[in-house]
């Protein structure tokens, strides 16, 4: 029963676009990687990253000259980077942030097959790239998780003590809870966000549509209730699962949040610099894997909207 339910939950969670919406090619003039059929922009880097689970994933980095913060965006289950490209460029410009997005294993031109633990490895590779190649510091990084992307986002956020902030967009309590209103966490469930949100020590913004037909708005509301450092949530009246970006309130509220955390001190209420847990110097992501295992063990026991509309047209089919 458990194995069957877990398989069903995993199948629900992952719907990579088939065929992928883009190809990765080398620009003959510059020698750099680019997406096919997408205009080349000087401020966008296309990358290939190796994960510790042996996969090669595709990522893109949008550079903003006025940025103070960097957004690490984990997209939803029925999209890939080709479809998210224009939205990412728009978000970077509107929010004045650098932005990195990545495709999970099995999505777009990333190798491998999608599953829960591969996505954890995928986001770690993207995060590590931000630190290593772009000089981003943990305290200047905001993790953004949309739908299924809330899983890897909260897993990483629960193990990083000095993150600037977290954004959860139409998040799930867990994979199983999307299908069944279970009251407890089972070992075979995936993305146990309900058990990890309490380990996040930075400000959390949650946005959810009240008419979400895929993930009920109650998921977002319960995660907000369980957050340690709550920020004013955004419950978009009539919003569905894949169209929040089309509401003017979306970008206004998100910009307000980014501005707020930019101005906030890093040592507010000990949320950034906890005296209870000192973070060890990070030469690799190995300690994160150990931290996740510890958390998992604990769980077992207990645009105006117009420009955004143009950017999202390719994902409306979801």
């Amino acid at each position: 029963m458990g194995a069957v339910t877990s398989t069903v939950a995993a199948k629900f969670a992952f719907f990579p676009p088939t065929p992928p919406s883009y190809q990765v090619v080398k620009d003959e003039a510059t020698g750099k990687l680019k997406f096919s059929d997408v205009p080349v922009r000087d401020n966008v880097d296309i990358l290939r990253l190796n994960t510790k689970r042996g996969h090669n994933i595709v990522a893109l980095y949008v550079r903003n000259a006025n940025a103070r913060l960097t957004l690490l965006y984990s997209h939803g289950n029925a999209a890939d980077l080709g479809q998210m490209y224009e939205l990412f460029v728009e978000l970077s410009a509107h929010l004045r942030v650098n932005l990195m997005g990545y495709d999970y294993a099995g999505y777009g031109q990333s190798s491998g097959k999608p599953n829960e633990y591969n996505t954890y490895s995928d986001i770690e590779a993207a995060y590590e790239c931000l630190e290593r190649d772009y000089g981003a510091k943990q305290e200047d990084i905001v993790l953004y998780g949309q739908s299924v992307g809330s899983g890897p986002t909260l897993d990483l956020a629960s193990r990083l003590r000095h993150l600037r902030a977290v954004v959860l967009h139409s998040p799930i309590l867990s994979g199983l809870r999307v299908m069944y209103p279970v009251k407890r966490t089972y070992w075979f469930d995936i993305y146990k966000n309900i058990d990890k949100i309490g380990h996040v020590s930075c400000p959390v913004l949650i946005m959810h549509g009240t008419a979400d037909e895929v993930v009920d708005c109650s998921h977002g509301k319960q995660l907000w209730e369980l957050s340690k450092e709550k920020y004013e949530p955004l419950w978009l009246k009539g919003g569905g699962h894949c169209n929040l970006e089309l509401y003017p309130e979306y970008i206004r509220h998100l910009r307000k949040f980014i501005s707020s955390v930019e101005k906030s001190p890093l040592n507010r209420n000990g949320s950034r610099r906890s005296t209870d847990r000192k973070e060890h110097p990070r030469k690799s992501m190995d300690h994160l894997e150990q931290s996740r295992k510890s958390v998992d063990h604990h769980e077992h026991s207990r645009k105006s909207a117009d420009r955004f509309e143009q950017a999202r047209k390719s994902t409306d089919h979801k």
Side-chain angles (χ1 to χ4, degrees), residues 15-24 35-36 38 58-60 73-88 101-110 146 311-312 314-318:
F15 292 105
T18 305
S21 69
Y22 68 94
Q23 298 288 328
V24 178
F35 285 171
S36 59
V38 174
V58 180
L60 67 80
Y73 195 117
S74 301
H75 62 66
N77 64 359
D80 62 21
L81 288 183
Q83 296 171 339
M84 303 297 293
Y85 184 95
E86 293 297 333
L87 177 65
F88 285 171
Y102 64 99
D103 264 340
Y104 313 119
Y107 277 69
Q109 296 299 318
S110 295
Q146 178 183 5
R312 290 290 290 173
S314 62
T315 59
D316 287 345
H317 71 281
K318 292 185 294 183

Side-chain angles (χ1 to χ4, degrees), residues 22 24 33 46-59 81 102-113 118 121-122 125-126 132:
Y22 68 94
V24 178
L33 297 178
I46 305 301
L47 312 163
R48 283 195 173 275
L49 308 175
N50 294 319
T51 76
K52 65 184 179 184
R53 291 176 69 88
H55 300 123
N56 183 263
I57 64 169
V58 180
L81 288 183
Y102 64 99
D103 264 340
Y104 313 119
Y107 277 69
Q109 296 299 318
S110 295
S111 68
K113 294 183 179 180
N118 280 345
S121 179
D122 299 336
R132 180 188 65 239

Side-chain angles (χ1 to χ4, degrees), residues 69-72 138-144 153 157 162-168 200-205 257-258 261-262 264 272:
L69 301 178
T70 298
L71 205 67
L72 176 51
Q138 183 181 145
E139 56 266 28
D140 294 326
I141 293 176
V142 177
L143 299 186
Y144 187 118
T153 292
H162 304 155
L163 276 177
R164 194 57 165 250
V166 169
V167 178
L168 299 178
V200 177
S201 57
C202 60
V204 176
L205 164 64
F257 177 66
I258 293 297
V261 297
E262 273 185 340
S264 66
R272 297 291 188 282

Side-chain angles (χ1 to χ4, degrees), residues 64 72 270-271 302 304:
N64 187 304
L72 176 51
S271 62
R302 121 168 169 46
S304 111

Side-chain angles (χ1 to χ4, degrees), residues 69 71 90-97 144 167 205 207 231 234 247-263 303-305 307-308:
L69 301 178
L71 205 67
E90 290 292 326
L91 281 176
S92 174
H94 278 74
L95 302 177
R96 295 185 178 183
V97 296
Y144 187 118
V167 178
L205 164 64
M207 302 180 290
Y231 185 83
L234 178 62
Y247 289 76
E249 300 95 321
Y250 164 83
I251 193 61
R252 285 202 297 264
H253 201 77
L254 192 52
R255 187 187 292 124
K256 178 182 174 183
F257 177 66
I258 293 297
S259 177
S260 173
V261 297
E262 273 185 340
K263 298 173 183 177
K303 271 169 177 189
S304 111
R307 297 180 70 189
F308 279 87

Side-chain angles (χ1 to χ4, degrees), residues 160-179:
L160 295 178
R161 311 311 301 169
H162 304 155
L163 276 177
R164 194 57 165 250
V166 169
V167 178
L168 299 178
H169 173 157
S170 306
I172 65 174
L173 285 168
S174 73
L176 188 58
R177 286 175 172 86
V178 174
M179 299 185 294

Side-chain angles (χ1 to χ4, degrees), residues 14-301:
F14 305 110
F15 292 105
T18 305
S21 69
Y22 68 94
Q23 298 288 328
V24 178
V25 297
K26 183 174 289 188
D27 188 294
E28 295 182 0
T30 64
K32 295 182 178 180
L33 297 178
K34 67 176 185 178
F35 285 171
S36 59
D37 302 320
V38 174
V40 176
R41 290 182 169 88
D42 292 336
N43 66 323
V44 177
D45 297 337
I46 305 301
L47 312 163
R48 283 195 173 275
L49 308 175
N50 294 319
T51 76
K52 65 184 179 184
R53 291 176 69 88
H55 300 123
N56 183 263
I57 64 169
V58 180
L60 67 80
Y61 180 82
V62 186
R63 188 180 295 99
N64 187 304
N66 299 312
R68 295 173 59 187
L69 301 178
T70 298
L71 205 67
L72 176 51
Y73 195 117
S74 301
H75 62 66
N77 64 359
D80 62 21
L81 288 183
Q83 296 171 339
M84 303 297 293
Y85 184 95
E86 293 297 333
L87 177 65
F88 285 171
V89 171
E90 290 292 326
L91 281 176
S92 174
H94 278 74
L95 302 177
R96 295 185 178 183
V97 296
N98 301 314
L99 188 150
M100 174 168 277
Y102 64 99
D103 264 340
Y104 313 119
Y107 277 69
Q109 296 299 318
S110 295
S111 68
K113 294 183 179 180
N115 65 47
E116 178 186 11
Y117 285 94
N118 280 345
T119 63
Y120 296 157
S121 179
D122 299 336
I123 194 174
E124 287 175 4
Y127 176 85
E128 201 170 32
C129 174
L130 285 177
E131 288 193 320
R132 180 188 65 239
D133 299 336
Y134 293 99
K137 297 180 180 179
Q138 183 181 145
E139 56 266 28
D140 294 326
I141 293 176
V142 177
L143 299 186
Y144 187 118
Q146 178 183 5
S147 185
V148 167
S150 61
T153 292
L154 278 178
D155 183 77
L156 183 59
S158 69
R159 295 176 286 118
L160 295 178
R161 311 311 301 169
H162 304 155
L163 276 177
R164 194 57 165 250
V166 169
V167 178
L168 299 178
H169 173 157
S170 306
I172 65 174
L173 285 168
S174 73
L176 188 58
R177 286 175 172 86
V178 174
M179 299 185 294
Y180 310 113
V182 296
K183 301 300 183 182
R184 54 168 291 188
T185 296
Y186 293 90
W187 66 268
F188 51 80
D189 201 356
I190 66 171
Y191 295 136
K192 305 176 185 71
N193 293 341
I194 189 172
D195 297 322
K196 295 179 182 179
I197 187 71
H199 296 276
V200 177
S201 57
C202 60
V204 176
L205 164 64
I206 297 180
M207 302 180 290
H208 215 122
T210 60
D212 192 324
E213 72 289 355
V214 178
V215 180
D216 191 81
C217 189
S218 60
H219 286 243
K221 291 182 176 180
Q222 190 169 347
L223 287 172
W224 184 79
E225 291 289 346
L226 294 170
S227 299
K228 291 201 309 187
E229 192 165 346
K230 300 174 177 64
Y231 185 83
E232 178 188 359
L234 178 62
W235 312 126
L236 273 166
K237 186 175 181 180
H241 192 64
C242 301
N243 65 353
L244 299 192
E245 298 92 341
L246 305 184
Y247 289 76
E249 300 95 321
Y250 164 83
I251 193 61
R252 285 202 297 264
H253 201 77
L254 192 52
R255 187 187 292 124
K256 178 182 174 183
F257 177 66
I258 293 297
S259 177
S260 173
V261 297
E262 273 185 340
K263 298 173 183 177
S264 66
L266 295 178
N267 266 326
R268 187 174 69 256
N269 297 328
S271 62
R272 297 291 188 282
R273 302 291 181 186
S274 171
T275 57
D276 296 331
R277 290 180 61 183
K278 293 183 179 180
E279 185 182 31
H280 300 294
R282 294 195 330 97
K283 294 183 179 179
S284 72
M285 303 295 285
D286 291 344
H287 75 287
L288 293 180
E289 181 72 19
Q290 295 172 355
S291 299
R292 179 169 60 238
K293 289 179 180 178
S294 175
V295 171
D296 288 344
H297 177 75
H298 172 74
E299 292 163 2
H300 293 164
S301 65

